[in-house]
Amino acid sequence: MKNWKRYLALLAAIVLLLGALLPLLFAFAGGENGQALFRGAVAAAFLLPVLLYAMLLPVQYYTKRRRKDMSDAAIDTIIFDVGNVLVDFCWEEFLDGFQFPKEERDAIAKAVFESDAWNLRDKGTVSDEEILKRFIEAAPAYEEDIRLLFSRVHESIRKRDYAQPWVKYLKAQGYRLYILSNYGETMLSCTRHLIPEKEMDGVVFSCNVKEIKPEPQIYQILLDTYSIDPKRAVFLDDRQENLDTARMFGIHTILFQDFKQAVRDLEKMGVK
C-alpha cells in the first residue's frame, strides 16, 4: 500500500514538472507554430494539476474509507475462557497424584473427567449429589476412591502466574475484558480467588446461566448482557469446538495453546 502511493506521488511530480517546463521549451522554440505551442503548453501547465487532483480524489476516498473500515473493525473487546487459559485445569496430573493402579486410574478418568456427567456439573442443572452418584455408577468398583477424589477435585485448578499481569495490562490499554467459561458452581466457589475476575467488565459462567459451551445460547447471553459487538471482539479458548460456535456469531477467535502464542496472535489482530 505504501509503495504504490510513493510511486504514484513520484509520477505526479514528474508530470507536473514536465508541464511546467513545456512552456519554457516552446517559448524559446522558433517556427510558425511556436506561439500556438507556447499557449497550449501554458494551458496544459494549468490544467495538469487540476486533472491530477481529479484523478487522486478516488484514491483519497478509497484510502479514507479503508481506514474508517479498519477503525470500525478494530478489536476493542477480549473474551477469555478460564480453564487452560487463565488458570490450569490439570486434571490428569491431579488424578495421577493419587497413584491409583493404571486400570483404576483409567476407569476413574473415564467415569469422572471424560464423562457427560462432568459437563452437566458445569451446566449447573444437576446437584453435586446427583453428579457424584453418576460418577460412581460409571465405575462402582472404585466408589471409595471416587468419593475421595470428588471431595478434592478443586485441587485440579491451579494459578497461572501470567494471567493477572496480562489482563491488568490489557485493561490499562483500554480493552473491554470478559470471561465466558464452563465452570461448576462448587468448583467456582473453591477456586474463584485464582481467577483474575476483578479486572473483567463482565463474566458469564455456565453454572450461573445454566447453558454451556459450545451451545450457542451461552454466547448469545454474553453478547446481549454486555452489548458486545462481535465484529470487534476476539475470543480465546483452548477447544476448537468452542471457537467454531463463536465464529457463527462473527466473533474473532484464537485457539489458545500457550501465553506467548496467544500474545503473538493478538498482536496480529492489532491488540498490543
Side-chain angles (χ1 to χ4, degrees):
M1 175 68 74
K2 291 182 179 179
N3 285 336
W4 74 259
K5 284 184 178 179
R6 191 177 296 117
Y7 296 143
L8 187 61
L10 181 60
L11 178 61
I14 292 171
V15 171
L16 288 173
L17 181 61
L18 289 174
L21 290 175
L22 278 176
L24 293 175
L25 292 174
F26 290 127
F28 292 104
E32 298 177 357
N33 299 322
Q35 286 189 345
L37 290 172
F38 174 72
R39 287 194 294 270
V42 171
F46 282 103
L47 287 174
L48 274 174
V50 177
L51 291 173
L52 283 173
Y53 180 73
M55 292 170 62
L56 288 173
L57 279 178
V59 176
Q60 291 177 333
Y61 174 78
Y62 168 77
T63 303
K64 289 180 180 178
R65 181 63 180 268
R66 187 171 181 274
R67 285 176 180 171
K68 183 178 185 302
D69 290 343
M70 290 176 67
S71 176
D72 290 345
I75 299 297
D76 65 5
T77 300
I78 304 171
I79 306 166
F80 296 94
D81 178 32
V82 173
N84 294 328
V85 176
L86 296 179
V87 301
D88 267 325
F89 176 40
C90 42
W91 67 265
E92 292 185 89
E93 183 181 341
F94 167 69
L95 181 56
D96 290 340
F98 288 90
Q99 298 184 332
F100 297 134
K102 185 178 186 309
E103 181 179 351
E104 179 180 357
R105 185 264 184 209
D106 292 346
I108 291 177
K110 186 176 180 180
V112 178
F113 297 104
E114 298 173 348
S115 68
D116 291 337
W118 184 268
N119 289 335
L120 285 176
R121 186 171 192 247
D122 281 349
K123 195 169 184 179
T125 55
V126 179
S127 67
D128 279 356
E129 291 75 15
E130 177 61 27
I131 294 297
L132 177 58
K133 179 182 176 183
R134 296 190 187 196
F135 288 163
I136 293 170
E137 287 175 350
Y142 307 114
E143 176 178 354
E144 184 177 347
D145 287 337
I146 290 175
R147 288 185 179 277
L148 173 63
L149 179 145
F150 189 77
S151 68
R152 296 173 51 190
V153 72
H154 59 276
E155 295 175 19
S156 63
I157 305 294
R158 296 173 188 173
K159 182 179 180 180
R160 287 193 169 178
D161 291 335
Y162 65 75
Q164 185 74 24
W166 189 23
V167 298
K168 275 192 172 184
Y169 169 79
L170 292 171
K171 188 68 176 177
Q173 295 300 107
Y175 293 101
R176 300 168 65 197
L177 308 180
Y178 298 92
I179 281 174
L180 179 65
S181 181
N182 291 346
Y183 226 108
E185 185 175 358
T186 302
M187 184 83 86
L188 182 59
S189 65
C190 292
T191 62
R192 203 158 199 160
H193 64 286
L194 302 176
I195 303 170
E197 190 177 343
K198 291 182 180 179
E199 307 301 328
M200 300 296 159
D201 293 283
V203 299
V204 172
F205 290 110
S206 58
C207 61
N208 294 332
V209 298
K210 312 306 180 189
E211 299 290 351
I212 195 169
K213 296 179 300 183
E215 297 302 319
Q217 292 87 344
I218 193 169
Y219 299 82
Q220 194 66 63
I221 290 171
L222 176 73
L223 296 176
D224 291 347
T225 302
Y226 299 108
S227 301
I228 295 172
D229 180 357
K231 294 179 181 179
R232 304 191 67 177
V234 58
F235 179 40
L236 292 87
D237 197 293
D238 65 311
R239 300 183 67 175
Q240 187 60 50
E241 61 267 31
N242 295 338
L243 300 178
D244 291 341
T245 304
R247 286 177 182 167
M248 291 169 52
F249 288 90
I251 301 171
H252 301 275
T253 62
I254 291 174
L255 180 63
F256 187 96
Q257 297 168 319
D258 60 63
F259 172 60
K260 290 183 179 180
Q261 163 263 325
V263 169
R264 287 195 302 269
D265 287 351
L266 282 171
E267 287 179 347
K268 291 175 184 177
M269 295 183 178
V271 177
K272 297 181 181 180

